[in-house]
Amino acid sequence: LRMYPSTYRIATIGGFIGGGSGGIGSITYGQLRDRGNLHAVRVVTMEDEPKVIELRGDDVQKINHAYGTNGIITQLEIPLGPAYPWRELIVNFDDFMTAAKFGQALGNSDGIIKKLICICAWPIPQYFAALRDYLPQEKHSALLIIAEPSLEPFKELVREYGGNISYEKSAEEANKGVAIAEFTWNHTTLHARSVDPSLTYLQTALPPDPNMELLEHLYRHFGDEVMMHLEFSRTNGKVVPLALQIVRYRSEERLNEIISYHEKRGAIIFNPHTYILEDGGMKTVNVEQLEFKKQVDPYGLLNPGKMRGYFEDK
Amino acid sequence: LRMYPSTYRIATIGGFIGGGSGGIGSITYGQLRDRGNLHAVRVVTMEDEPKVIELRGDDVQKINHAYGTNGIITQLEIPLGPAYPWRELIVNFDDFMTAAKFGQALGNSDGIIKKLICICAWPIPQYFAALRDYLPQEKHSALLIIAEPSLEPFKELVREYGGNISYEKSAEEANKGVAIAEFTWNHTTLHARSVDPSLTYLQTALPPDPNMELLEHLYRHFGDEVMMHLEFSRTNGKVVPLALQIVRYRSEERLNEIISYHEKRGAIIFNPHTYILEDGGMKTVNVEQLEFKKQVDPYGLLNPGKMRGYFEDK
């Protein structure tokens, strides 16, 4: 698969297309919504007489990331990626901004084949119990998946940034023990919350910022209240960090204050604290998805209350 | 191979590393100098008692793009890319800027697997005799190599930009007849010059310019005197057009005027009209390559007069 979610052990591929936007592999292939990452979908309609519809080409966007509100996905046609022997690695840095810049540089290194670049500021690594032996105190960690033929140039880059490799798992051993992917993306939050349920999280797109000045500002400003977790992925052809910060929850008011502090500085928060489609990532009503819902789900039975455009329209 | 030059029929791989900087495949893998695209080199020294030296990792930069001035390359270790069935296509546009923006959008489409994006403003296509039937008068052409599994989403993008596909050659037919790659990169210039030897060319890196305003300005300002030819490639993780304009030569003075008009606006010209290494692309003396030359070629016998840093040092 070109990309998969950190929940791949329990996820279904239909659920991933319905609810996901990217994941492990996005550092190479971009987002699920990008042309070429989803070729076709078969959906069954929620009508008196159900119909089977095949959507191809740009029409797949009618159901992509629509959370199952507008048709039951029964078949998908997705392209695959080349199968490299993938190595899992952890690299530690003394300084968070060096780790972040290393992540960006690795993302920009087109000659190095990679699948995952996850950067966790200390103290996030302390929540990863199963990897504890490889995560030194007070260090900022990069969790990485790199194609084995690219290891030699990868290690030159690690040397340039003064990183220290503490963990290497070869492709041969990949099926045994812990999978590094399960400590990244939304699993990072899951592990933190399994240790401390008072924690919550945010999803943040940072504006273009080649020197990472805003990132540094946010990292220093909030300290351990908003712990920095970055996932690098390609967006419109550029490698950019998506922040999935882990937040020490104090109150709804304080959470909204944190969100607005980000938004005032140009960072876009995809609020994960709502079950309504448009209030989270999308912000606006997707007219194409709304029209498709009216067509295939005339009684509004699929995931009711999820699509604001639909119930406000009613 | 991850990348190869348009001269691949006659080129040697050692010559490509010695003299090349990228080529067909650079739209995915970046430049030859990027970490990961050249793993190791074996060079034989030009001493009384020749030595065999292996350079690995970042040390390969000592000979990469040094034009054979500092050691005889006898062996290379380079990574390969996945073998897709590659389709060759020509897409035509009414308007040059639409063609250029299509090229950028295709380059930014991470879900579409591609090997070549070459955009030729009219009248350049008229120099491609062997493809004449597929290059309509007054149209601006994109010469492309796309992985066949990505064709369907690729064609959606062509539709979005109002392009017209005039030529498609499947991977199965790839060994027969003309190869589209041989009309791109420096072969574009070669074909133009074979029709009209008074033509010459430039190599230009455009500064960051998301709206392509400078490109449009240069295209309109010079008209047919400087015919626009773009090759898209990844540079430091971003897809950017490299311009290999075909110039109607009038005089050295006028050529220098054209160059300085570009440079004043932030475009960097890698002057191909010099045989001296530092006066072309590199501009500055590469101290690492110079030191390596002193070590392996103490009598200065390899490609004498090519490396300014060396003969000025003498």
Side-chain angles (χ1 to χ4, degrees):
Chain A
L1 289 178
R2 284 186 178 182
M3 62 187 98
Y4 56 87
S6 64
T7 54
Y8 66 93
R9 281 182 202 266
I10 53 162
T12 63
I13 187 76
F16 181 43
I17 298 296
S21 61
I24 296 139
S26 276
I27 186 60
T28 297
Y29 294 105
Q31 311 298 311
L32 282 171
R33 67 174 175 268
D34 291 336
R35 276 198 188 99
N37 286 331
L38 172 58
H39 284 169
V41 191
R42 183 176 293 172
V43 290
V44 177
T45 69
M46 203 66 170
E47 298 169 280
D48 291 326
E49 290 286 323
K51 281 200 288 285
V52 177
I53 298 179
E54 191 188 46
L55 304 173
R56 301 198 68 87
D58 287 355
D59 277 346
V60 302
Q61 303 308 337
K62 289 179 182 169
I63 67 92
N64 192 0
H65 210 64
Y67 287 90
T69 52
N70 58 4
I72 298 160
I73 299 172
T74 60
Q75 212 172 64
L76 290 165
E77 189 183 318
I78 51 168
L80 301 177
Y84 283 96
W86 294 108
R87 183 163 294 207
E88 304 181 359
L89 298 109
I90 297 175
V91 186
N92 303 296
F93 298 86
D94 290 339
D95 168 67
F96 170 71
M97 285 310 297
T98 305
K101 285 174 182 172
F102 167 80
Q104 183 72 50
L106 176 58
N108 287 349
S109 294
D110 295 312
I112 297 175
I113 310 296
K114 59 255 169 197
K115 197 186 225 168
L116 176 71
I117 305 175
C118 166
I119 308 288
C120 294
W122 185 263
I124 294 175
Q126 76 178 356
Y127 299 121
F128 302 159
L131 294 171
R132 190 169 295 154
D133 293 347
Y134 314 102
L135 299 165
Q137 287 284 316
E138 306 291 334
K139 302 284 183 196
H140 309 274
S141 301
L143 281 64
L144 309 163
I145 303 181
I146 308 289
E148 293 190 350
S150 291
L151 276 178
E152 193 175 350
F154 165 78
K155 288 180 181 180
E156 298 275 345
L157 185 69
V158 170
R159 203 168 300 138
E160 184 183 328
Y161 281 80
N164 184 34
I165 298 173
S166 63
Y167 179 85
E168 271 198 71
K169 190 179 182 185
S170 71
E172 268 189 15
E173 301 161 15
N175 289 325
K176 295 176 232 153
V178 294
I180 208 168
E182 290 183 275
F183 295 84
T184 68
W185 290 86
N186 273 334
H187 259 69
T188 311
T189 312
L190 189 75
H191 284 284
R193 280 180 49 79
S194 75
V195 173
D196 179 353
S198 77
L199 299 174
T200 185
Y201 80 119
L202 291 173
Q203 303 178 142
T204 309
L206 299 160
D209 183 17
N211 299 320
M212 296 187 153
E213 284 165 20
L214 179 62
L215 174 68
E216 183 162 7
H217 172 80
L218 294 168
Y219 168 69
R220 299 200 190 286
H221 177 79
F222 288 108
D224 282 359
E225 187 186 8
V226 181
M227 295 173 258
M228 199 55 86
H229 163 205
L230 303 176
E231 295 288 347
F232 284 88
S233 77
R234 285 190 179 275
T235 305
N236 298 322
K238 288 190 186 69
V239 173
V240 290
L242 176 77
L244 291 160
Q245 306 96 321
I246 295 174
V247 180
R248 291 190 198 281
Y249 185 80
R250 281 151 57 184
S251 67
E252 197 177 325
E253 194 193 348
R254 176 60 185 159
L255 187 62
N256 288 332
E257 210 173 279
I258 292 170
I259 291 175
S260 93
Y261 190 92
H262 282 74
E263 289 177 338
K264 269 182 201 144
R265 283 156 185 83
I268 300 163
I269 302 258
F270 304 108
N271 191 353
H273 305 290
T274 168
Y275 56 85
I276 295 172
L277 190 48
E278 294 89 339
D279 295 354
M282 300 300 109
K283 306 287 179 189
T284 58
V285 173
N286 182 323
V287 176
E288 195 182 12
Q289 291 186 350
L290 176 60
E291 290 306 314
F292 192 63
K293 183 177 178 71
K294 287 181 191 164
Q295 178 191 331
V296 302
D297 183 22
Y299 303 115
L301 301 173
L302 290 169
N303 223 339
K306 180 96 184 162
M307 192 189 272
R308 177 184 296 283
Y310 182 77
F311 64 72
E312 286 188 346
D313 217 49
K314 281 271 137 180
Chain B
L1 289 179
R2 286 186 176 181
M3 62 187 97
Y4 56 87
S6 64
T7 53
Y8 65 92
R9 282 182 202 264
I10 53 162
T12 62
I13 188 77
F16 182 44
I17 299 297
S21 61
I24 296 139
S26 276
I27 187 59
T28 297
Y29 295 104
Q31 311 299 311
L32 282 172
R33 65 174 175 269
D34 291 336
R35 275 197 188 101
N37 287 331
L38 173 59
H39 284 169
V41 191
R42 182 177 294 172
V43 290
V44 176
T45 68
M46 203 66 171
E47 297 169 281
D48 290 325
E49 289 286 321
K51 281 200 288 284
V52 177
I53 298 179
E54 192 188 46
L55 305 173
R56 300 198 69 87
D58 289 354
D59 276 346
V60 300
Q61 303 309 335
K62 288 178 182 169
I63 67 91
N64 193 0
H65 210 62
Y67 287 88
T69 53
N70 58 5
I72 298 160
I73 299 173
T74 59
Q75 210 171 64
L76 291 165
E77 189 182 318
I78 51 168
L80 302 177
Y84 283 95
W86 294 108
R87 182 163 296 207
E88 303 180 358
L89 298 108
I90 297 175
V91 187
N92 302 297
F93 298 86
D94 291 338
D95 169 68
F96 171 70
M97 286 310 295
T98 305
K101 284 174 182 170
F102 167 80
Q104 183 72 53
L106 176 57
N108 288 349
S109 293
D110 295 313
I112 298 176
I113 309 297
K114 59 255 167 198
K115 198 186 225 168
L116 176 71
I117 306 176
C118 166
I119 308 289
C120 293
W122 184 262
I124 295 175
Q126 75 177 359
Y127 298 121
F128 302 160
L131 295 171
R132 191 170 291 154
D133 293 347
Y134 314 102
L135 298 166
Q137 288 284 318
E138 307 291 334
K139 303 285 182 193
H140 309 274
S141 302
L143 280 65
L144 309 162
I145 302 181
I146 308 289
E148 293 191 349
S150 291
L151 276 178
E152 194 175 351
F154 164 77
K155 288 180 181 180
E156 299 275 345
L157 184 70
V158 171
R159 203 168 300 137
E160 184 183 328
Y161 281 79
N164 183 36
I165 298 175
S166 63
Y167 179 86
E168 271 198 69
K169 190 178 182 185
S170 71
E172 268 188 13
E173 302 159 17
N175 289 324
K176 293 175 233 155
V178 295
I180 208 168
E182 289 182 273
F183 296 84
T184 68
W185 290 86
N186 273 333
H187 259 69
T188 311
T189 311
L190 189 74
H191 285 284
R193 280 181 47 81
S194 74
V195 174
D196 179 353
S198 77
L199 299 173
T200 184
Y201 79 120
L202 290 173
Q203 305 178 140
T204 310
L206 299 160
D209 182 16
N211 300 320
M212 296 187 153
E213 284 164 22
L214 179 61
L215 175 68
E216 184 163 6
H217 172 79
L218 293 169
Y219 168 70
R220 299 200 190 285
H221 177 78
F222 288 108
D224 281 0
E225 187 186 8
V226 181
M227 296 172 258
M228 199 56 89
H229 162 207
L230 302 176
E231 295 288 345
F232 284 89
S233 77
R234 288 199 167 271
T235 304
N236 297 322
K238 287 190 188 70
V239 173
V240 291
L242 176 75
L244 291 161
Q245 306 97 320
I246 294 174
V247 180
R248 290 192 198 279
Y249 184 80
R250 282 152 55 184
S251 67
E252 198 178 325
E253 193 191 349
R254 176 61 185 160
L255 186 63
N256 289 331
E257 210 173 280
I258 292 170
I259 291 175
S260 93
Y261 190 92
H262 281 74
E263 289 177 340
K264 270 184 200 141
R265 282 154 186 85
I268 300 162
I269 303 257
F270 304 109
N271 191 353
H273 305 289
T274 169
Y275 58 85
I276 293 170
L277 192 48
E278 294 90 339
D279 295 353
M282 301 297 110
K283 308 286 181 191
T284 57
V285 173
N286 182 323
V287 176
E288 197 182 11
Q289 290 186 351
L290 176 60
E291 289 306 314
F292 191 62
K293 183 176 177 69
K294 288 181 192 164
Q295 180 192 330
V296 302
D297 182 23
Y299 302 113
L301 300 173
L302 290 170
N303 223 340
K306 181 97 185 160
M307 192 188 271
R308 178 184 296 284
Y310 183 76
F311 64 73
E312 286 188 347
D313 217 51
K314 281 271 139 177

